[in-house]
Amino acid sequence: MPIQKVTKEEVVNQALLLFKKRGYHRTSMADLAEACGLLKGSFYHYFSGKEALMKEVLGAVHSYFKAKIFVIAYDETLLPRERLEKMLAKQIRVVSSTEGGCLMGNMAIETALVTDEFRPAMRTFFDEYLDALAHVYSYKYDAKKARQMAEQAMVEYEGAWVMVKLTDSSHYLQDVLERAMARFDAAESNNVTEKQ
């Protein structure tokens, strides 16, 4: 019997925070149950196991980013530069609002070489992330170059989280935003790489 009544959504939200902070392998079912105010045995009324819960967490994160962040890239009411800046700034703000960094990046590093179970969900997330960034860069660059710019921005963002964790300094994230914007703006003064 649960210590307190919680919804499945609350379990997913608590698990997200714990997985971000501790990682997948270092988070036990007992840790998850305690964070949710549940007895360990009653936790299985919500999810069959930690793997099922992680899949649900990855799906929830993806759904949130798709609806609240990636969608900005396609917002025709904003200029392309505004879209890029708003999208990246919001992503940084949202992910920075809780301890642990980027869950998708963390899980890719932690689990990709150990299990393929979460790989499809993470690949879909990162593919859609790249598509959104490339869409914005495509206003300035041809499709191939726009994709390269998107990949560079994403790789820099994920790498910045490594440095934030090591140094406890968040300036790396702001630097990513500034460099992404500078690359976007560079197309205006560089007719060789600019979209024809």
Side-chain angles (χ1 to χ4, degrees):
M1 178 174 238
I3 298 170
Q4 63 182 18
K5 189 170 182 148
V6 295
T7 66
K8 189 174 182 179
E9 183 179 337
E10 290 169 327
V11 171
V12 169
N13 289 337
Q14 287 300 314
L16 166 61
L17 296 174
L18 225 74
F19 286 141
K20 276 183 69 172
K21 184 177 179 180
R22 299 193 67 200
Y24 178 75
H25 295 294
R26 289 184 49 223
T27 302
S28 69
M29 290 301 283
D31 296 332
L32 291 163
E34 182 181 338
C36 297
L38 298 170
L39 297 173
K40 185 178 174 184
S42 63
F43 191 85
Y44 292 98
H45 293 291
Y46 295 89
F47 292 97
S48 60
K50 191 165 73 166
E51 297 81 12
L53 174 58
M54 177 50 85
K55 285 181 180 179
E56 190 79 20
V57 168
L58 293 173
V61 169
H62 183 194
S63 293
Y64 177 86
F65 269 72
K66 190 173 185 173
K68 303 290 185 181
I69 296 176
F70 299 162
V71 70
I72 296 168
Y74 307 98
D75 182 352
E76 298 291 331
T77 66
L78 299 172
L79 294 173
R81 187 184 197 287
E82 293 172 315
R83 294 182 213 174
L84 181 63
E85 186 169 29
K86 185 175 180 181
M87 184 176 132
L88 292 174
K90 185 170 185 177
Q91 176 181 351
I92 290 167
R93 188 174 60 254
V94 167
V95 176
S96 299
S97 68
T98 58
E99 187 178 358
C102 176
L103 176 77
M104 291 295 192
N106 293 349
M107 290 303 108
I109 290 168
E110 183 180 356
T111 66
L113 298 177
V114 179
T115 180
D116 286 334
E117 191 163 4
F118 308 126
R119 188 183 299 254
M122 291 184 293
R123 280 299 305 263
T124 300
F125 172 86
F126 282 113
D127 285 346
E128 289 182 17
Y129 179 14
L130 283 171
D131 289 345
L133 286 169
H135 178 74
V136 177
Y137 277 116
S138 73
Y139 285 88
K140 296 287 185 126
Y141 295 98
D142 63 47
K144 182 179 178 184
K145 185 70 172 177
R147 187 71 174 190
Q148 290 172 341
M149 293 288 164
E151 289 170 355
Q152 186 172 356
M154 185 180 73
V155 168
E156 285 184 9
Y157 172 79
E158 294 300 335
W161 272 111
V162 171
M163 294 307 295
V164 168
K165 289 178 180 182
L166 288 173
T167 65
D168 290 325
S169 178
S170 62
H171 81 274
Y172 294 100
L173 297 170
Q174 186 61 35
D175 292 349
V176 167
L177 175 59
E178 290 171 8
R179 283 191 300 271
M181 299 311 299
R183 283 190 296 273
F184 186 85
D185 293 340
E188 293 174 1
S189 60
N190 185 355
N191 292 328
V192 175
T193 59
E194 192 170 351
K195 183 177 179 180
Q196 300 297 321

